[in-house]
Amino acid sequence: MSTELAKAFDPAAAQQQALDLWGQANAYHADPSDPGQPYSIVIPPPNVTAALHLGHALNNTLQDILTRYHRMLGDNTCWLPGTDHAGIATQTVVEKRVLAEEGKRRTDFARDEFVTKIQAWKDEYEVRITDQLKAMGCSCDWDRQAFTMDPKRARAVREAFYRLFADGLIYRGKRLVNWDPVTQTALADDEVENEEVDGNFYYLRYPLTDGSGHITVATTRPETMLGDTAVAINPKDPRAAALKGKKVLLPIVNREIPIVEDDYVVMPVQFGGDPKDAKAVLATGFLKVTPAHDTNDYEIGQRHNLPVINVFSPTAGISKDHGWPADDFARADEFVTSDLLGQDRFEARTRIVKWFKAKGLHEETKPYRHSVGHSYRSHVPIEPYWSDQWYCRVTDDRLAGAALRAMSPEQREGAAGEPASAGGAHSAPEGHLKFYPARYAKTFQTWHENIRDWCISRQLWWGHRIPVWYFRDDTAVDSKSDEELAALLRRLVILRDTERVALQHAPGAEASGKAIDLQHSFVCVRDESDAEAVELLANLGFVQDPDVLDTWFSSGLWPMSTLEWPDRLAVGLKKSALNVWNPTSVLCTAREIITLWVSRMVMFNLYFLNRLPFRDVFIHAMIQDGHGQKMSKSLGNGVDPMDIIGSHGADAMRFAMAHMATNTQDVRMPVDLVDPHTGQAFTPKYVTDSAGHTVAAPIQESPKDPAKKIVSSYGYASGKAKPTADMPVAKNTSSKFDLGRNFCNKLWNASKFVLSNLESAPVEAADETKWSLVDRWIVSRFNRTVEEVNAAIKDYRFDNYARAAYDFFWRDFCDWYVEAVKPAMKDPARAGQTASVLAALLDGTLRLLHPATPFITEVIWQKLNEVRPVRGLPGRLECPSIGNGQSAVGNDSGLIAQHSGLLIRSPWPAVGSFAEAAEHIFPRVQEVVTAIRNTRNLAQISPKQKVTVSVTAPAEPTRQLSENREIIEFLTASTLSAVGPDVTAPAGAIRTTAAGLDVFVETGQPVASAGADAAVNEKRRAELTKQRDTLRGRLSNESYIAKAPPALVQQTRDQLAQVEAELSRLG
RNA sequence: GGGCCGUUAGCUCAGUUGGCUAGAGCGCCUCCCUUACAAGGAGGAGGUCACAGGUUCGAGCCCUGUACGGCCCACCA
């Protein structure tokens, strides 16, 4: 079998080869009983709504780097993969698809039928996402793949719900919720996005019932006036006294409503309001109060015992059937029935304003720009809606309080002196939660300090059904005899007492003397498979709540549910996956879900297991497009990682991702398009869409063939152009990945060079005493790099990892070491020794890079094992012996990627010793080489023309340069004719300086040299003069001499002396 | 309204506790298809570090303010 590598790196071939090897070996399966420190990560489960984009690629690349790194360190490493059912989001995309393809709405189907359709979508995307992760090289333990709605996770959800319900931390509440009238579900506060909209202030007159005139209210939402139950005025308003006890007759509905005093009301400027407050400027001092349709009005209503009259339907149309009392409705004008009922809220607004105008009750309309909450799913304005919902009492100290106390003390503000635990039933959890970068700790803290109870019910079909049953059917009970009923109740009590169900009384219903008040009970069934309990409840006339749980309820359990919680063995056994890998080591995510997700995981894990779900939270940057906009499906600027893998390769994508994972909160990724005709990338034209976003123009002319049009993926998504069969869709890409592609190609070629040399060179054990300066230098540089990389990964600075590895490999190893040893490799006497260093360095480099670029390193590793199974530099760069299938530590899989269990074969390089002297001396050689090259270039000497070089240098540098004569000559195509203290300028030589030495370059053509000498000298002189002036200026400052550290002052003096000396020698 | 972040080369980003001439990749210019690599090699140009003050012997870095951009929270009269 040939060990020769292909001429250029072929990512697709390498990916296939590596994936096959890993797959055959099931290389990433971990067992809790494996040796090593536990190290675990749970994947932030991607939503099954869509395929992964580059944000996910970044997120998962970083997790995989951590995972592979720790696996190589010998840790018992497990990365748990999975996906999230993403309730609203998934149901919405499927509803859209069904509407587009079948022209049907969700409500045209039975619940089960529609859920099956969503399930099909989920199956499709779960596979696609898994394929994407595998193609990216993610080393997840695929045997443990989870889904937030699969049976094991469902069990965890049930158990968690039951415990919280039984402990009184889940309750039923009638509240105003953020209602999305399109998806017809309640949204959590953080699912509401605020957008500035141009609206109006309408000034409407409400007549007083005593005929003494009217008051004027100002509102942005006239349509809600149908539900007004009061008008409020500030008690400090000078007009308040005269209006005390008066009522107004609400127009259209003819409802008599009181005027109440409430200091929430902003006073207009002329009555003492703050002129800087925009509201005070526009206000009339009279606020219409609509408790059913405004959060603040609801609170005012509570304070004044006002009735709540809901005049909207769930689709936000005017309705009399959702809380408008019939006797009250009967008083309303015919106008309501003829013109308003059934109209949506915006049409109703128009019609009501028109009515007021017609009746002369409209004073004026003023434009007003204000922010309005919109649904993050449907993007329509949120309607505050009065309904029954389930809440999780996260405000309880056992949840939010515990989360706060778990914070790392140095990251928590104002926590000094407070004990880490409040004591009591829950003792202090082990360790603290620490954020990287630390600034995100504040987001977490503020959230919990201002937290409100969490609405966990959603009016959806796709999700975990709320496991609560309530009484619905009188006939079921009435038809039973007292004996039968008593027997059923006894069984219910037994189920409660054996903790199979939990009971709560409805809010407001007093627990009577009876043990159970059926009509006002909520019953939570603990176990999904408890058919007996369900049947019993059905017998008692109970039905299950139709709603499902907020997605984040199941995601919040993720670090537990993926590790088999609440399985008894998992909880009880010391060596269970749960107890070995939870707490997980780090959560790696984007900042947008610190509140949505991180918070809930922390609260749940603390509550159920009394320990953190993870120790570190690493928040990485968000990828934006070239215009600073978030990458998203709806904007159409998303990039599919598979496209990048196609254009650049998976390793290239990963390396570039690591390289851009800096400490900042955003990173921009200008997006180019790939012309499907030519494969060439080009930058699309940009236009502004109706929402003001910059998007690529939908149709591009193909650079290759103007007759052919390309539809960008941007344009397609923004709806500006529909692709047709003859319009190929361009793929998004970005030149940012060129960095990684070039790097991989370089690695491939350098490896090719090393391997071919290893084949031809004699095999020798490394013997340090035979090494040259450059050998000692590169080995020391390698160890220095490993040290830097360790520090970088510890701090989650993946950019520093990539940079350190890049600089070592390309700048030091390729540019200098490989070039410098070429002469030695041609010398049979030295080739063996040099080859042993090359082999060890290639080995070390592959291991150093493997976490970032797993495919290419695996493929090269395989070749290296064939060519040089035994390698390493004792004490300097240890490499394991490999390839014999047997060793002291166990079986050898022969994979650089696999280190599970006893297969610890290619561990992370340990930091070897440094060669300080070599690290000091070799840069001098580099300086001289660079100076000669520089001179050759400036003097325009052809690369093929040999030159003669001489150097004036003191004894020590002379010795060092002489020792490296061969390298200098080889790297500069020169003959080093003379080095020493007495060397003088040869006639016609170009003079330059390097490392404080005089360097003379003879071209053999004195006439040409004369002009070149002037050019080189002039440039060098200019540089030195500038330096000299800077240094002189510093030293002429007396304060500097007096106050700066003496060592620094001395250093400045030494530098000045050297610069001046060089300058004088240049003449 | 409250808070967080950013502004460094044409573009995308580094720049440690303040201290040598502020760096990298891409792009640009010159030369080179040298037997690992043109996805490459050698060399080069390009920055008053957003602006205004302040602290300091010394500020890209620390403090105050301003402008612009982004994000989070609160608020829909």
Side-chain angles (χ1 to χ4, degrees), chain A residues 254 257 472 510 607 678 790 830 881 936 976:
Chain A
N254 306 314
I257 57 175
R472 184 69 172 279
E510 294 299 318
Y607 188 75
T678 63
N790 286 338
R830 292 180 287 158
S881 65
R936 291 185 63 118
L976 194 53

Side-chain angles (χ1 to χ4, degrees), chain A residues 187-342:
Chain A
L187 298 178
D189 291 338
D190 28 42
E191 289 167 337
V192 176
E193 291 168 350
N194 289 294
E195 287 174 34
E196 289 271 308
V197 297
D198 287 311
N200 289 308
F201 249 117
Y202 301 92
Y203 292 80
L204 307 176
R205 289 181 178 166
Y206 288 4
L208 291 163
T209 50
D210 62 4
S212 62
H214 66 265
I215 52 102
T216 303
V217 298
T219 179
T220 55
R221 301 205 52 200
E223 68 277 15
T224 64
M225 60 79 60
L226 302 175
D228 284 2
T229 52
V231 170
I233 184 169
N234 194 304
K236 292 187 208 106
D237 191 306
R239 297 166 296 177
L243 290 164
K244 220 175 224 356
K246 291 198 177 186
K247 291 190 167 186
V248 300
L249 183 68
L250 189 62
I252 301 178
V253 289
N254 306 314
R255 183 184 302 141
E256 277 194 19
I257 57 175
I259 296 175
V260 300
E261 294 183 2
D262 197 291
D263 54 19
Y264 172 76
V265 180
V266 174
M267 285 192 287
V269 175
Q270 66 266 36
F271 294 110
D274 178 1
K276 275 175 283 186
D277 180 352
K279 256 181 205 166
V281 172
L282 292 163
T284 64
F286 294 101
L287 174 67
K288 63 191 270 309
V289 183
T290 322
H293 299 290
D294 183 286
T295 333
N296 294 306
D297 290 9
Y298 175 73
E299 283 165 17
I300 295 172
Q302 293 289 95
R303 288 196 284 271
H304 300 276
N305 283 320
L306 299 173
V308 178
I309 297 178
N310 181 15
V311 297
F312 285 171
S313 69
T315 53
I318 304 298
S319 166
K320 63 180 172 59
D321 303 324
H322 293 85
W324 193 338
D327 54 336
D328 182 76
F329 181 77
R331 280 196 297 269
D333 286 3
E334 168 60 18
F335 173 70
V336 176
T337 310
S338 61
D339 284 73
L340 294 180
L341 283 185

Side-chain angles (χ1 to χ4, degrees), chain A residues 766 768 771 779 782-783 786 839-841 843-845 847 861 870-881 905-913:
Chain A
E768 216 176 305
W771 289 0
V779 171
F782 177 81
N783 284 318
V786 174
L841 281 168
D843 178 299
T845 301
R847 284 188 275 143
W861 179 263
V870 178
R871 52 188 183 261
L873 311 176
R876 295 285 187 191
L877 201 176
E878 304 277 1
C879 305
S881 65
R905 304 306 304 124
S906 45
W908 186 253
V911 179
S913 54

